Amino acid sequence: MSSDIVSGQYRFFDARVLRSRRLGPTMVRITLGGEQLRAFTSGGRDQSFSLFLPHPGQHAPVLPDRTGEGWFAAWRAVDESERAVMRSYTIRAQRREPDELDVDFALHGDLGPASRWAAGAGPGDRVVLLGPVIEDNRSVGFRPPDDTDWVLLAADETALPAVGGILEWLPPHTRARVFVEVPNAADIQDLDAPAEAEITWLVRESAAPGVDGPLLAAIRAAELPAGTPYAWIAGESGAVRALRRHLVGERGFDRRLVGFSGYWRLGTSEEQLLAEKLAAATG
Ligand SMILES: Cc1cc2nc3c(=O)[nH]c(=O)nc-3n(C[C@H](O)[C@H](O)[C@H](O)COP(=O)(O)OP(=O)(O)OC[C@H]3O[C@@H](n4cnc5c(N)ncnc54)[C@H](O)[C@@H]3O)c2cc1C
């Protein structure tokens, strides 16, 4: 995103937690506020952003330089135990007057700094966002072509906020088949959706997330509508990859009409994923 700051798509925003509310046993909604959010401009749908969090004991996230292209190198130069924890999240909702953002965190225990932070966050806690200042920005991935006949959404709980945003954005008569995997039955949410959206909730219970979860099996077994689909898949990387392979390989979906994004990978933190990307880019 560093060059995008210079190109004017994104900037840093200081924000504070206003309130938090449990949506279910493994999901918490954190509402952020602050004067700077007046300029934050979500494109809706699956709008993502980078969230910077303090470590336990710090009163604010440590980000030495926020002025432009140099921020990433400056952030990386600080020791990992000191520099802000950087994670990717989705804008579940944006409101004006007052300027507020809702971010829904899937809680998966204390192993992840973001999950741990979200579970304990309270009013006044400080965060920094790197997010959009224009609606049409590169962090909106859901872009169905005009001639789409129906939409397929497949997600685990980390992409449920994006599914909620997408369903609210879709025109009222869109035909949609939606498959969402959640850890517990009590994590199922009431979503505002077009009348012709059929939502199938899959409860993982004791199964592991990822390829062994029920999402893949349900879509493999599903009878899907005829016509030109646009598919959007997000969640655990292994499951996303397997689903994409199924849609393109076995169902014959046009690969250009299958948007997909690994939101997390079993056994790997977001730092480790970033380190892998950097190594691949430089090696
Ligand atoms: C574009 C994008 C948008 C995203 N939007 C959201 C969102 O709105 N809400 C949301 O909750 N997540 C979202 N995610 C996923 C989130 O960034 C990851 O789950 C992230 O790893 C959480 O950080 P952490 O510090 O809690 O765990 P990390 O420190 O990154 O990981 C620690 C360990 O926990 C595991 N882990 C990470 N996430 C989960 C999980 N959900 N369940 C079980 N184990 C896990 C990792 O495999 C690793 O072993 C999004 C990701 C992307 C790329």
Side-chain angles (χ1 to χ4, degrees):
M1 268 193 194
S2 53
S3 55
D4 293 321
I5 291 184
V6 176
S7 76
Q9 287 209 356
Y10 303 94
R11 58 161 267 201
F12 285 100
F13 300 86
D14 286 309
R16 284 181 188 268
V17 173
L18 297 177
R19 54 191 177 273
S20 92
R21 179 164 76 91
R22 280 286 179 145
L23 302 179
T26 69
M27 188 72 97
V28 65
R29 173 161 299 163
I30 306 270
T31 300
L32 301 173
E35 253 178 45
Q36 293 191 359
L37 296 185
R38 196 168 306 151
F40 194 104
T41 309
S42 173
R45 296 163 271 177
D46 56 340
Q47 175 72 65
S48 61
F49 68 101
S50 294
L51 176 64
F52 296 87
L53 300 169
H55 292 273
Q58 292 177 332
H59 71 285
V62 174
L63 258 168
D65 172 14
R66 313 170 179 194
T67 50
E69 272 194 273
W71 77 266
F72 185 68
W75 172 79
R76 289 261 299 165
V78 180
D79 191 85
E80 217 177 293
S81 60
E82 276 288 308
R83 71 182 184 219
V85 173
M86 177 171 67
R87 292 289 183 271
S88 303
Y89 279 87
T90 304
I91 300 299
R92 174 62 184 86
Q94 174 166 33
R95 288 177 296 279
R96 300 294 186 193
E97 293 181 27
D99 292 292
E100 293 185 354
L101 298 174
D102 289 339
V103 184
D104 292 355
F105 291 76
L107 302 177
H108 59 96
D110 278 353
L111 198 57
S115 170
R116 185 178 50 225
W117 176 86
D125 288 355
R126 290 170 63 176
V127 298
V128 173
L129 290 75
L130 175 54
V133 290
I134 54 169
E135 263 185 46
D136 190 10
N137 63 79
R138 289 197 306 124
S139 307
V140 174
F142 182 83
R143 293 176 186 271
D146 288 343
D147 61 353
T148 300
D149 290 322
W150 65 280
V151 166
L152 172 68
L153 303 178
D156 69 12
E157 66 272 27
T158 64
L160 172 54
V163 166
I166 290 169
L167 289 173
E168 284 170 14
W169 178 89
L170 283 172
H173 297 297
T174 311
R175 214 156 27 125
R177 288 298 313 271
V178 184
F179 295 84
V180 185
E181 179 180 306
V182 289
N184 307 286
D187 289 310
I188 292 173
Q189 298 180 9
D190 227 353
L191 299 175
D192 283 338
E196 291 185 59
E198 188 183 325
I199 306 178
T200 304
W201 292 94
L202 302 150
V203 180
R204 198 153 59 226
E205 283 165 357
S206 56
V211 285
D212 296 326
L215 183 66
L216 194 55
I219 293 178
R220 278 201 175 117
E223 204 172 302
L224 298 176
T228 305
Y230 172 76
W232 180 94
I233 316 165
E236 197 282 323
S237 294
V240 168
R241 214 173 28 246
L243 267 169
R244 179 172 180 258
R245 205 176 304 131
H246 165 68
L247 294 178
V248 174
E250 288 156 44
R251 299 258 189 187
F253 280 36
D254 180 338
R255 65 178 61 245
R256 291 165 303 183
L257 300 179
V258 181
F260 63 99
S261 182
Y263 272 16
W264 63 285
R265 195 201 294 162
L266 258 181
T268 311
S269 72
E270 203 169 325
E271 256 103 42
Q272 291 166 318
L273 291 174
L274 178 65
E276 276 181 22
K277 264 190 219 157
L278 290 173
T282 54

